[in-house]
Amino acid sequence: MRLDQFEMERLQSTWENRVKFNLSESSVHPMSIRDLASDPTFHNQLLSTPLHYNQSNGTDELRDMIASLYPGATLDDVEVTNGGSEANFVTVFSMLDPGDEVVVILPNYGQIWGLTNSLGMTVKAVHLREDLAWAPDLAALDAAVTSRTKMVVVCNPNNPTGAVLSEAEMEAIISIASRVGAWILADEIYQGSERDGHTTPTFYDRYDRVIVTNGLSKAYGLPGLRIGWIVAEKELIVKMWSYHDYTTIAPGTLSDMLARVALSPAGRARCLERTRSICRQNYPILRRWMDGHGSMFRLVEPRAGAIAYVHYDLPVNSTSLIRKLLHEKSVLVVPGDHFGMDRYLRIGYGLPPEHLQQALDHIHETLESLRSLLGAQTA
Ligand SMILES: Cc1ncc(COP(=O)(O)O)c(C=O)c1O
């Protein structure tokens, strides 16, 4: 079976651990085990834990903690996966067949778009609009969703724009999906990373056909744990668990254990506050840097996640630009091309502040050299 290349993940997989400055990361600088849990007794417990197969859908304790975050959910409505990406993968594989119609709200993390297109589903795009501060075009969504639509896919808070849907927009999406009985797949992995501290409400339990995916990689700053989850009604979870048997069987034993620390009430508050304070501290650094470039950049202020989706005003293709940055400055940034939109860059600003500033200074040098080169060519 042929899958379309997932361009953004290919770029990140190849370079993110090799470059000096990784601004392709969509989360904050990650936590260490020590940051997460400093208690020496717990460290000993971790070191003496037998590396058996973990309970394959996640330990009951972990699923119980996850369920408590969703109104009306119990541990039977939760499947723990290896990252949010496996949660999305298992959902698509278990819910959709070739030929099914899916409506995807874009731009979005490219996984579901790439998978559904590769697997022969009929995929329609509906766009967030920059002129509406990256709110969805609800009239276009209403027109795109037909009696053939099986699923509407949304990412909230959104990657790459950092936009958060309003209550009214969430209700409108539900009303459009419910008109035809379509499922809503809501990827909520950036929930909890809002700079203003207002946690984005979940789609869960607002409509009887909602599947939520989430995980610890973004708002919790723990991507290396590879812990994600699906929350859906019990009957679907039973089916998804059996699909999970074919993918990775189970989440890692130590990851499950550490995830229980991250999702304990105190652990959760600490992880989320850390992420939010990094975003609050770093956003002004990015903003100042952008403001120092006159009218070169345009940005709708992101509300969540350490990501900014920046439009730049230079006649240079975004992939060419990021390659130049990569090879000349060892700075990795995601090009708008990977979201199907040229002349944008997704800049991750969750690095330690001095590191972020240095990376931005490098981008500045490249942009200035391009600007004078292009100016010379057009003069
Ligand atoms: C919206 C969204 N969902 C899922 C993922 C994948 O998450 P994970 O690293 O937990 O597999 C990402 C990663 O960037 C993402 O942005």
Side-chain angles (χ1 to χ4, degrees), residues 8-9 12 26 82-86 88 108-109 111 155 157 159 187 189-190 213-218 223 226-228 346:
M8 186 179 84
E9 286 298 339
Q12 291 183 286
S26 59
N82 280 275
S85 46
E86 190 181 37
N88 287 334
N108 190 347
Y109 180 59
Q111 182 193 12
C155 177
N159 174 6
D187 182 337
I189 201 162
Y190 291 90
T213 56
N214 200 330
L216 297 181
S217 302
K218 309 297 174 186
R226 310 305 303 131
I227 289 286
R346 191 191 72 184

Side-chain angles (χ1 to χ4, degrees), residues 153-203:
V153 177
V154 59
C155 177
N156 188 47
N158 178 257
N159 174 6
T161 63
V164 177
L165 294 169
S166 68
E167 278 289 327
E169 286 154 2
M170 289 177 79
E171 285 307 319
I173 292 169
I174 290 166
S175 142
I176 292 167
S178 65
R179 172 169 59 71
V180 299
W183 289 93
I184 293 177
L185 167 52
D187 182 337
E188 299 180 348
I189 201 162
Y190 291 90
Q191 182 197 45
S193 63
E194 306 80 4
R195 252 182 312 133
D196 66 6
H198 288 110
T199 303
T200 304
T202 177
F203 270 92

